[in-house]
Amino acid sequence: MDVLRPTLININGRMYRRNTIKEEHYEEEDCSFMGPTESEDATDETCDTHFIEQTDKGYRCAIDVPSVLYKYIIGKKGETRKRLEFDTKTSISIPKQGVEGQIVITGSYKSAVSSAVTRVEVLVENFRKKQPFTHFLSFPLNDSKIQEGFLTFKDEVLQQCSQDHRVEGSIFQNPAKLHLTVGTLALLNGTEVRKACEHLQECERFIRDITGGKPLQLEVTGIEYMNDDPAMVDVLYAKVNIKDRSDKLQVIADRLVEHFVSTGLMTREWDRVKLHGTVMNTLFRKDSTVEDTGGTGRQATSEREAFDARNILKKFGAYCFGGFELNTVLLSQRYSTDSTGYYSSAGSINFS
C-alpha cells in the first residue's frame, strides 16, 4: 500500500483508511472471510458514526445493517463473527436471516465496541459493493413527442439499415423507458429506500436554484456511439441538450451524484456524469428486461454481439427525436414498470 495514498472507504459519508490485512481466497457463496491479523491492535480504530451508550455491564452500540448482508458478518460456520468477537473482545448479536433489525455490539470497553463497529461497517461496505443495483436516479425521456420520434427512427433504421451486420429490432430500447441515468444505487431494504427518498428531497432546493424554479426546455437531436469502432458498436445513444445551450442539466446531474456519494448510498464512477439516452443496446438482444445504466449489465462484454452502425451514423447522425419540457428527477426501481410503461418510482422531485 502507498502510505501517502492509502485506499479509502466511504462509510455513512465519512472516510476511513483501509489497513492492509492478510486475506484468504473468498468465495461469496460460502461467506468465508479472513479478518484482521493477530498483530493488529483492536483498539487502534475509532467510531464516531454511531452512538455508543454506557450500560450497567459496559458499553453497547446498535447499527442498522440490511438482512441480506448478515451472512458476510457471520461468515462460514460463524467464523467471521467469532474472529471479530475474539479480536475486539466484544459480543455481536445478529438477527435471524431475513429478519430486518439491528446488529447489537456489546463489550466492557468503549474502545473495543468502537473498534468492532468500525470493522463491521468495513465488512458491510465491502460486500455492499458486490450487490447488484436496485434503483437509479433518472431523467425520464418518455415524453409522447420523443417516443413518437424514436419509433419513427426505429422504423427508418430497420427499413434502410437492416442488411447491416446484426442490426435488428430486438436491440432497440423500449420507447416507454427512454431515460437518462444519473447514477445507480443498491438499496437493500425499505429503510434504505426511505433514506434515499429523503436525500432526494434534500436536493430540491439546489435544483430549483439552478433551474430558476422552471422546467428545462430540452431537445433530443443526434446520435453517437460508445466505443471506438463504428463497425462494432454495442450502444448507440441520443444526445440531449438544453435549447438555450446552457449546462444546467449537467450541473444538476453532477450535483445529485455528489450529494448521494456524500451520504454513502452511491459510489462515484466518473468525474462527471455522462448523460446519454440509449436508443440501441446489444444487451437487449438476449434480454429485453436489461436496463441501460451506463454499466456492462448482466452479460459479459465478450458475450455481446456488436452491430455495424456506420450506415446508421451516416444517415441518421443528426436525427431529431423532438423537444420537450423536463420537470422531474426520479428515484426509479430496477426491473419494474408503472402504469405508463416507465419504471416504477420510489420518489421524485420537480424543478418547478
Side-chain angles (χ1 to χ4, degrees):
M1 177 182 71
D2 186 344
V3 296
L4 297 180
R5 295 181 178 179
T7 302
L8 301 178
I9 299 175
N10 186 318
I11 299 176
N12 295 327
R14 295 178 180 273
M15 305 305 295
Y16 291 87
R17 182 189 72 245
R18 174 187 288 170
N19 293 326
T20 302
I21 61 175
K22 179 182 178 182
E23 295 186 355
E24 292 181 349
H25 178 69
Y26 178 85
E27 295 184 357
E28 185 167 318
E29 59 270 19
D30 68 14
C31 304
S32 61
F33 178 81
M34 175 61 78
T37 63
E38 296 289 349
S39 61
E40 288 191 12
D41 180 0
T43 64
D44 64 356
E45 297 162 300
T46 60
C47 170
D48 55 0
T49 59
H50 293 88
F51 175 66
I52 300 176
E53 62 177 323
Q54 188 170 9
T55 67
D56 294 338
K57 297 181 180 180
Y59 292 86
R60 176 185 184 276
C61 184
I63 59 178
D64 293 312
V65 176
S67 61
V68 70
L69 301 179
Y70 292 166
K71 61 183 180 180
Y72 301 116
I73 301 167
I74 297 171
K76 184 179 181 181
K77 297 181 180 180
E79 288 301 319
T80 301
R81 174 164 59 179
K82 292 175 184 177
R83 181 62 179 271
L84 285 170
E85 291 177 328
F86 176 81
D87 284 351
T88 60
K89 305 300 186 292
T90 60
S91 176
I92 302 174
S93 176
I94 302 174
K96 292 181 180 180
Q97 190 65 42
V99 177
E100 296 295 342
Q102 292 184 312
I103 290 179
V104 178
I105 301 173
T106 56
S108 300
Y109 301 97
K110 184 176 182 180
S111 59
V113 173
S114 175
S115 178
V117 169
T118 298
R119 294 188 183 192
V120 167
E121 287 196 313
V122 170
L123 276 174
V124 168
E125 186 64 22
N126 282 338
F127 288 108
R128 175 185 289 278
K129 293 177 181 177
K130 297 186 178 183
Q131 305 303 308
F133 75 88
T134 60
H135 294 73
F136 56 101
L137 296 178
S138 72
F139 296 130
L141 299 181
N142 62 340
D143 180 88
S144 59
K145 296 177 183 177
I146 305 303
Q147 288 196 53
E148 182 179 348
F150 169 81
L151 289 172
T152 300
F153 167 79
K154 178 181 178 179
D155 289 343
E156 293 185 2
V157 167
L158 291 176
Q159 288 175 12
Q160 300 181 41
C161 305
S162 60
Q163 300 303 312
D164 295 336
H165 180 69
R166 301 303 281 149
V167 173
E168 56 188 50
S170 65
I171 63 176
F172 285 83
Q173 173 68 284
N174 178 345
K177 291 194 171 183
L178 289 166
H179 68 278
L180 301 175
T181 295
V182 178
T184 61
L185 307 95
L187 305 176
L188 304 182
N189 57 23
T191 298
E192 293 191 348
V193 173
R194 288 191 294 273
K195 286 183 178 179
C197 290
E198 292 170 1
H199 289 307
L200 181 59
Q201 293 302 317
E202 294 167 359
C203 299
E204 185 174 75
R205 176 175 294 181
F206 76 70
I207 288 178
R208 291 187 176 182
D209 286 343
I210 294 170
T211 65
K214 300 177 181 179
L216 295 179
Q217 302 295 325
L218 301 187
E219 58 182 16
V220 185
T221 302
I223 56 174
E224 191 55 82
Y225 60 102
M226 282 289 190
N227 58 309
D228 297 327
D229 185 359
M232 295 290 289
V233 170
D234 283 315
V235 176
L236 200 66
Y237 64 92
K239 294 185 284 187
V240 180
N241 294 292
I242 299 180
K243 289 184 178 180
D244 65 8
R245 300 303 174 188
S246 70
D247 63 350
K248 291 178 181 178
L249 190 63
Q250 183 70 53
V251 172
I252 291 172
D254 291 338
R255 288 283 300 275
L256 282 166
V257 169
E258 180 182 345
H259 183 76
F260 273 84
V261 168
S262 72
T263 69
L265 291 177
M266 184 181 290
T267 300
R268 184 184 298 278
E269 298 183 29
W270 313 103
D271 291 337
R272 301 183 75 208
V273 177
K274 183 175 179 58
L275 293 172
H276 64 283
T278 296
V279 293
M280 300 172 71
N281 189 333
T282 57
L283 285 178
F284 302 151
R285 195 187 303 279
K286 292 183 178 180
D287 187 352
S288 61
T289 67
V290 171
E291 291 88 8
D292 176 84
T293 57
T296 57
R298 286 182 287 171
Q299 288 177 258
T301 302
S302 60
E303 298 175 351
R304 298 172 70 155
E305 301 175 67
F307 64 95
D308 187 346
R310 287 175 295 183
N311 278 334
I312 299 176
L313 291 164
K314 181 178 180 180
K315 297 178 179 181
F316 301 96
Y319 183 86
C320 180
F321 294 86
F324 75 107
E325 283 190 352
L326 178 67
N327 194 39
T328 188
V329 56
L330 303 173
L331 177 60
S332 301
Q333 182 178 338
R334 192 182 190 188
Y335 301 130
S336 68
T337 303
D338 66 12
S339 60
T340 70
Y342 194 69
Y343 302 97
S344 298
S345 174
S348 66
I349 53 175
N350 292 329
F351 298 173
S352 62

Coordinates of all heavy atoms in Angstrom, one line a residue, residues 250-307:
Q250 N -26.3 19.2 -16.9 CA -25.1 18.5 -16.5 C -24.8 18.9 -15.1 O -24.4 18.1 -14.2 CB -23.9 18.9 -17.4 CG -22.6 18.3 -17.1 CD -22.6 16.8 -17.4 OE1 -22.9 16.4 -18.5 NE2 -22.3 16.0 -16.4
V251 N -25.0 20.2 -14.7 CA -24.7 20.6 -13.4 C -25.6 19.9 -12.4 O -25.2 19.5 -11.3 CB -24.9 22.2 -13.3 CG1 -24.8 22.6 -11.8 CG2 -23.8 22.9 -14.1
I252 N -26.9 19.8 -12.7 CA -27.8 19.1 -11.8 C -27.4 17.7 -11.6 O -27.4 17.2 -10.5 CB -29.3 19.2 -12.4 CG1 -29.8 20.7 -12.3 CG2 -30.2 18.3 -11.6 CD1 -31.1 20.9 -13.0
A253 N -27.1 17.0 -12.7 CA -26.7 15.6 -12.6 C -25.4 15.4 -11.7 O -25.4 14.6 -10.9 CB -26.4 15.0 -14.0
D254 N -24.4 16.3 -11.9 CA -23.2 16.2 -11.1 C -23.5 16.5 -9.7 O -22.9 15.8 -8.8 CB -22.2 17.1 -11.7 CG -21.6 16.7 -13.1 OD1 -21.8 15.5 -13.4 OD2 -21.1 17.5 -13.8
R255 N -24.3 17.4 -9.4 CA -24.6 17.8 -8.0 C -25.4 16.7 -7.3 O -25.2 16.4 -6.1 CB -25.4 19.1 -8.0 CG -24.6 20.4 -8.3 CD -23.7 20.8 -7.1 NE -24.5 21.1 -5.9 CZ -25.1 22.3 -5.6 NH1 -25.0 23.3 -6.5 NH2 -25.7 22.5 -4.5
L256 N -26.3 16.0 -8.0 CA -27.1 14.9 -7.5 C -26.1 13.8 -7.1 O -26.2 13.2 -6.0 CB -28.1 14.4 -8.5 CG -29.4 15.2 -8.7 CD1 -30.1 14.8 -9.9 CD2 -30.3 15.0 -7.4
V257 N -25.2 13.4 -8.0 CA -24.2 12.4 -7.7 C -23.4 12.8 -6.5 O -23.1 12.0 -5.6 CB -23.4 12.1 -8.9 CG1 -22.2 11.1 -8.5 CG2 -24.2 11.4 -10.0
E258 N -22.9 14.0 -6.5 CA -22.1 14.5 -5.4 C -22.8 14.3 -4.0 O -22.2 13.9 -3.0 CB -21.7 15.9 -5.6 CG -20.8 16.6 -4.5 CD -20.6 18.0 -4.8 OE1 -20.8 18.5 -5.9 OE2 -20.1 18.7 -3.8
H259 N -24.1 14.7 -4.0 CA -24.9 14.6 -2.8 C -25.1 13.1 -2.3 O -24.9 12.8 -1.2 CB -26.2 15.2 -3.0 CG -27.1 15.3 -1.7 ND1 -26.8 16.2 -0.7 CD2 -28.1 14.5 -1.3 CE1 -27.7 16.0 0.3 NE2 -28.5 15.0 -0.1
F260 N -25.4 12.3 -3.3 CA -25.7 10.9 -2.9 C -24.4 10.1 -2.5 O -24.4 9.2 -1.7 CB -26.4 10.2 -4.0 CG -27.9 10.3 -3.9 CD1 -28.6 11.5 -4.4 CD2 -28.7 9.4 -3.2 CE1 -29.9 11.6 -4.3 CE2 -30.1 9.5 -3.1 CZ -30.7 10.7 -3.6
V261 N -23.3 10.5 -3.2 CA -22.0 9.9 -2.8 C -21.6 10.3 -1.3 O -21.2 9.5 -0.5 CB -20.9 10.4 -3.7 CG1 -19.5 10.0 -3.2 CG2 -21.1 9.7 -5.1
S262 N -21.9 11.5 -1.0 CA -21.6 12.0 0.4 C -22.4 11.3 1.4 O -22.0 11.2 2.6 CB -21.9 13.5 0.5 OG -23.2 13.8 0.5
T263 N -23.6 10.7 1.1 CA -24.4 10.0 2.0 C -24.0 8.6 2.2 O -24.5 7.9 3.1 CB -25.9 10.0 1.6 OG1 -26.1 9.2 0.4 CG2 -26.4 11.5 1.3
G264 N -23.1 8.1 1.2 CA -22.7 6.7 1.3 C -23.6 5.8 0.5 O -23.4 4.6 0.4
L265 N -24.7 6.3 -0.1 CA -25.6 5.4 -0.8 C -25.2 5.2 -2.3 O -25.8 4.4 -3.0 CB -27.0 6.1 -0.8 CG -27.7 6.1 0.6 CD1 -29.1 6.8 0.5 CD2 -27.9 4.6 1.1
M266 N -24.3 6.0 -2.8 CA -23.9 5.9 -4.2 C -22.3 5.9 -4.3 O -21.7 6.5 -3.5 CB -24.5 7.0 -5.0 CG -24.2 6.9 -6.5 SD -25.0 8.4 -7.4 CE -26.7 8.0 -7.3
T267 N -21.8 5.2 -5.2 CA -20.4 5.2 -5.5 C -20.1 6.0 -6.7 O -20.7 5.8 -7.8 CB -19.8 3.7 -5.7 OG1 -20.1 3.0 -4.5 CG2 -18.4 3.7 -5.9
R268 N -19.1 6.9 -6.6 CA -18.7 7.7 -7.8 C -18.0 6.8 -8.8 O -17.0 6.2 -8.5 CB -17.9 8.9 -7.4 CG -17.6 9.8 -8.5 CD -16.7 10.9 -8.1 NE -17.3 11.8 -7.1 CZ -18.1 12.7 -7.3 NH1 -18.5 13.0 -8.6 NH2 -18.6 13.5 -6.3
E269 N -18.4 6.8 -10.1 CA -17.8 6.1 -11.1 C -17.0 6.9 -12.0 O -15.9 6.5 -12.6 CB -18.8 5.3 -11.9 CG -19.6 4.2 -11.1 CD -20.6 3.4 -11.9 OE1 -20.3 3.3 -13.1 OE2 -21.6 3.0 -11.4
W270 N -17.4 8.2 -12.3 CA -16.7 9.1 -13.2 C -16.7 10.5 -12.5 O -17.4 10.8 -11.7 CB -17.5 9.2 -14.5 CG -17.9 7.8 -15.1 CD1 -19.1 7.3 -15.0 CD2 -17.0 6.9 -15.7 NE1 -19.1 6.0 -15.6 CE2 -17.8 5.8 -16.1 CE3 -15.7 6.9 -16.0 CZ2 -17.3 4.7 -16.7 CZ3 -15.2 5.8 -16.7 CH2 -16.0 4.7 -17.0
D271 N -15.7 11.3 -13.0 CA -15.6 12.7 -12.6 C -16.9 13.4 -12.9 O -17.4 14.3 -12.1 CB -14.4 13.4 -13.2 CG -13.1 12.8 -12.6 OD1 -13.1 12.2 -11.5 OD2 -12.1 12.9 -13.3
R272 N -17.5 13.2 -14.1 CA -18.7 13.8 -14.5 C -19.7 12.8 -15.0 O -19.3 11.7 -15.5 CB -18.5 14.8 -15.6 CG -17.5 15.9 -15.3 CD -17.4 16.9 -16.4 NE -18.5 17.8 -16.5 CZ -19.0 18.3 -17.7 NH1 -18.4 18.0 -18.8 NH2 -20.0 19.1 -17.7
V273 N -21.0 13.0 -14.8 CA -22.0 12.1 -15.3 C -22.0 12.2 -16.8 O -22.0 13.3 -17.4 CB -23.4 12.5 -14.7 CG1 -24.4 11.5 -15.3 CG2 -23.4 12.4 -13.2
K274 N -22.0 11.0 -17.5 CA -22.1 11.0 -18.9 C -23.6 10.8 -19.3 O -24.1 9.7 -19.2 CB -21.3 9.9 -19.6 CG -21.3 9.9 -21.1 CD -20.4 8.9 -21.7 CE -20.5 8.9 -23.2 NZ -20.1 10.2 -23.8
L275 N -24.3 11.9 -19.6 CA -25.7 11.9 -19.9 C -25.9 11.4 -21.3 O -25.4 12.0 -22.3 CB -26.3 13.3 -19.7 CG -26.3 13.8 -18.3 CD1 -26.7 15.3 -18.3 CD2 -27.3 13.0 -17.4
H276 N -26.6 10.3 -21.4 CA -26.9 9.7 -22.7 C -28.2 8.9 -22.7 O -28.5 8.2 -21.7 CB -25.8 8.8 -23.2 CG -25.6 7.6 -22.3 ND1 -25.0 7.6 -21.1 CD2 -26.0 6.3 -22.5 CE1 -25.0 6.4 -20.5 NE2 -25.6 5.6 -21.4
G277 N -29.0 9.1 -23.7 CA -30.3 8.4 -23.8 C -30.1 7.2 -24.8 O -30.2 7.4 -26.0
T278 N -30.0 6.1 -24.2 CA -29.8 4.9 -25.1 C -31.0 4.6 -26.0 O -32.1 4.5 -25.5 CB -29.5 3.6 -24.2 OG1 -28.3 3.8 -23.5 CG2 -29.4 2.4 -25.0
V279 N -30.7 4.4 -27.3 CA -31.7 4.0 -28.2 C -31.5 2.6 -28.8 O -32.5 2.0 -29.2 CB -31.8 5.0 -29.4 CG1 -32.3 6.4 -28.9 CG2 -30.5 5.2 -30.1
M280 N -30.2 2.2 -28.8 CA -29.9 0.8 -29.2 C -28.9 0.2 -28.3 O -27.9 0.9 -28.0 CB -29.5 0.8 -30.7 CG -30.5 1.3 -31.7 SD -29.8 1.5 -33.4 CE -29.7 -0.2 -33.9
N281 N -29.0 -1.0 -27.9 CA -28.1 -1.6 -27.0 C -28.1 -3.1 -27.2 O -29.2 -3.8 -27.2 CB -28.5 -1.3 -25.5 CG -27.4 -1.8 -24.5 OD1 -26.7 -2.7 -24.7 ND2 -27.4 -1.1 -23.4
T282 N -26.9 -3.7 -27.4 CA -26.9 -5.2 -27.7 C -27.2 -6.0 -26.5 O -27.5 -7.2 -26.7 CB -25.5 -5.6 -28.2 OG1 -24.5 -5.2 -27.3 CG2 -25.2 -4.9 -29.6
L283 N -27.3 -5.4 -25.3 CA -27.7 -6.2 -24.2 C -29.2 -6.6 -24.3 O -29.6 -7.6 -23.8 CB -27.6 -5.3 -22.9 CG -26.2 -5.2 -22.3 CD1 -26.3 -4.3 -21.1 CD2 -25.6 -6.5 -21.9
F284 N -30.0 -5.8 -25.1 CA -31.4 -6.1 -25.3 C -31.6 -7.3 -26.2 O -32.7 -7.8 -26.2 CB -32.1 -4.9 -25.9 CG -32.0 -3.6 -25.1 CD1 -32.0 -2.4 -25.7 CD2 -31.9 -3.6 -23.7 CE1 -32.0 -1.2 -25.0 CE2 -31.8 -2.5 -23.0 CZ -31.8 -1.2 -23.6
R285 N -30.6 -7.7 -26.9 CA -30.7 -8.7 -27.9 C -31.2 -10.0 -27.3 O -32.1 -10.7 -27.8 CB -29.4 -8.9 -28.7 CG -29.6 -9.7 -30.0 CD -28.2 -10.1 -30.6 NE -27.4 -8.9 -30.8 CZ -27.5 -8.1 -31.9 NH1 -28.4 -8.3 -32.8 NH2 -26.6 -7.1 -32.1
K286 N -30.6 -10.4 -26.2 CA -31.0 -11.6 -25.5 C -31.8 -11.4 -24.3 O -32.4 -12.4 -23.7 CB -29.7 -12.4 -25.1 CG -28.9 -12.9 -26.3 CD -27.7 -13.7 -25.9 CE -26.9 -14.2 -27.1 NZ -25.7 -15.0 -26.7
D287 N -31.9 -10.2 -23.8 CA -32.7 -9.9 -22.6 C -33.3 -8.6 -22.7 O -32.6 -7.6 -22.4 CB -31.8 -10.1 -21.3 CG -32.6 -10.0 -20.0 OD1 -33.8 -9.7 -20.1 OD2 -32.0 -10.2 -19.0
S288 N -34.6 -8.5 -23.0 CA -35.2 -7.2 -23.2 C -35.5 -6.5 -21.9 O -35.8 -5.3 -21.9 CB -36.5 -7.4 -24.0 OG -37.4 -8.2 -23.2
T289 N -35.3 -7.2 -20.8 CA -35.6 -6.5 -19.5 C -34.4 -5.8 -18.9 O -34.5 -5.1 -17.9 CB -36.0 -7.6 -18.4 OG1 -34.9 -8.5 -18.1 CG2 -37.2 -8.4 -18.9
V290 N -33.2 -5.9 -19.6 CA -32.0 -5.3 -19.1 C -32.1 -3.8 -19.2 O -32.6 -3.3 -20.2 CB -30.8 -5.7 -19.9 CG1 -29.5 -4.9 -19.5 CG2 -30.5 -7.2 -19.6
E291 N -31.8 -3.1 -18.1 CA -31.8 -1.6 -18.2 C -30.4 -1.1 -18.5 O -29.4 -1.6 -18.0 CB -32.2 -1.0 -16.8 CG -33.6 -1.2 -16.4 CD -33.8 -2.5 -15.7 OE1 -32.8 -3.1 -15.3 OE2 -35.0 -2.9 -15.5
D292 N -30.4 -0.1 -19.4 CA -29.1 0.5 -19.7 C -28.8 1.6 -18.6 O -29.6 2.5 -18.5 CB -29.1 1.2 -21.1 CG -27.8 1.9 -21.3 OD1 -26.8 1.3 -21.7 OD2 -27.7 3.1 -21.0
T293 N -27.8 1.5 -17.9 CA -27.5 2.4 -16.8 C -26.0 2.9 -16.9 O -25.4 3.3 -15.9 CB -27.7 1.8 -15.4 OG1 -27.0 0.7 -15.3 CG2 -29.2 1.5 -15.3
G294 N -25.4 2.7 -18.0 CA -24.0 3.1 -18.2 C -23.0 2.0 -17.8 O -21.8 2.2 -18.0
G295 N -23.5 0.9 -17.3 CA -22.6 -0.2 -16.9 C -22.6 -1.3 -18.0 O -23.2 -1.1 -19.1
T296 N -22.1 -2.5 -17.6 CA -22.0 -3.5 -18.6 C -23.2 -4.5 -18.6 O -23.3 -5.3 -19.4 CB -20.7 -4.4 -18.3 OG1 -20.8 -4.9 -17.0 CG2 -19.5 -3.6 -18.5
G297 N -24.1 -4.3 -17.6 CA -25.2 -5.2 -17.5 C -24.9 -6.5 -17.0 O -23.8 -6.8 -16.5
R298 N -25.8 -7.5 -17.3 CA -25.6 -8.9 -16.8 C -24.8 -9.7 -17.8 O -24.2 -10.7 -17.4 CB -26.9 -9.5 -16.5 CG -27.6 -9.0 -15.3 CD -28.9 -9.7 -15.0 NE -29.9 -9.3 -15.9 CZ -31.1 -9.9 -16.1 NH1 -31.4 -10.9 -15.3 NH2 -32.0 -9.5 -16.9
Q299 N -24.6 -9.3 -19.0 CA -23.9 -10.1 -20.0 C -22.5 -9.5 -20.0 O -22.2 -8.3 -20.0 CB -24.5 -10.0 -21.4 CG -25.8 -10.7 -21.5 CD -26.4 -10.5 -22.9 OE1 -27.3 -9.8 -23.1 NE2 -25.8 -11.2 -23.9
A300 N -21.5 -10.4 -20.0 CA -20.1 -10.0 -20.2 C -19.9 -9.4 -21.5 O -20.6 -9.8 -22.5 CB -19.2 -11.2 -20.0
T301 N -19.0 -8.5 -21.7 CA -18.7 -7.8 -23.0 C -18.5 -8.8 -24.0 O -18.9 -8.7 -25.2 CB -17.6 -6.8 -22.8 OG1 -17.9 -5.9 -21.8 CG2 -17.3 -6.1 -24.1
S302 N -17.7 -9.9 -23.7 CA -17.4 -10.9 -24.7 C -18.6 -11.7 -25.2 O -18.5 -12.3 -26.3 CB -16.4 -11.9 -24.1 OG -17.0 -12.6 -23.0
E303 N -19.7 -11.7 -24.5 CA -20.9 -12.4 -24.9 C -21.8 -11.5 -25.8 O -22.8 -12.0 -26.3 CB -21.7 -12.9 -23.7 CG -20.9 -13.8 -22.8 CD -21.6 -14.2 -21.6 OE1 -22.7 -13.6 -21.3 OE2 -21.2 -15.1 -20.9
R304 N -21.5 -10.2 -25.8 CA -22.4 -9.3 -26.6 C -22.1 -9.4 -28.1 O -20.9 -9.6 -28.5 CB -22.2 -7.9 -26.1 CG -22.6 -7.7 -24.7 CD -22.2 -6.3 -24.1 NE -23.0 -5.3 -24.7 CZ -23.3 -4.1 -24.1 NH1 -22.8 -3.9 -22.9 NH2 -24.0 -3.2 -24.6
E305 N -23.1 -9.2 -28.9 CA -22.9 -9.3 -30.3 C -23.0 -7.9 -30.9 O -24.2 -7.4 -31.1 CB -23.9 -10.3 -30.9 CG -23.9 -11.7 -30.4 CD -25.0 -12.6 -30.9 OE1 -25.0 -12.8 -32.1 OE2 -25.9 -13.0 -30.1
A306 N -21.9 -7.3 -31.2 CA -21.9 -5.9 -31.7 C -22.6 -5.8 -33.1 O -22.7 -6.8 -33.8 CB -20.5 -5.4 -31.8
F307 N -23.0 -4.6 -33.4 CA -23.6 -4.4 -34.7 C -22.8 -3.3 -35.5 O -22.1 -2.5 -34.9 CB -25.1 -4.0 -34.6 CG -25.4 -2.7 -33.9 CD1 -25.6 -1.5 -34.6 CD2 -25.5 -2.7 -32.5 CE1 -25.8 -0.3 -33.9 CE2 -25.8 -1.5 -31.8 CZ -25.9 -0.3 -32.6

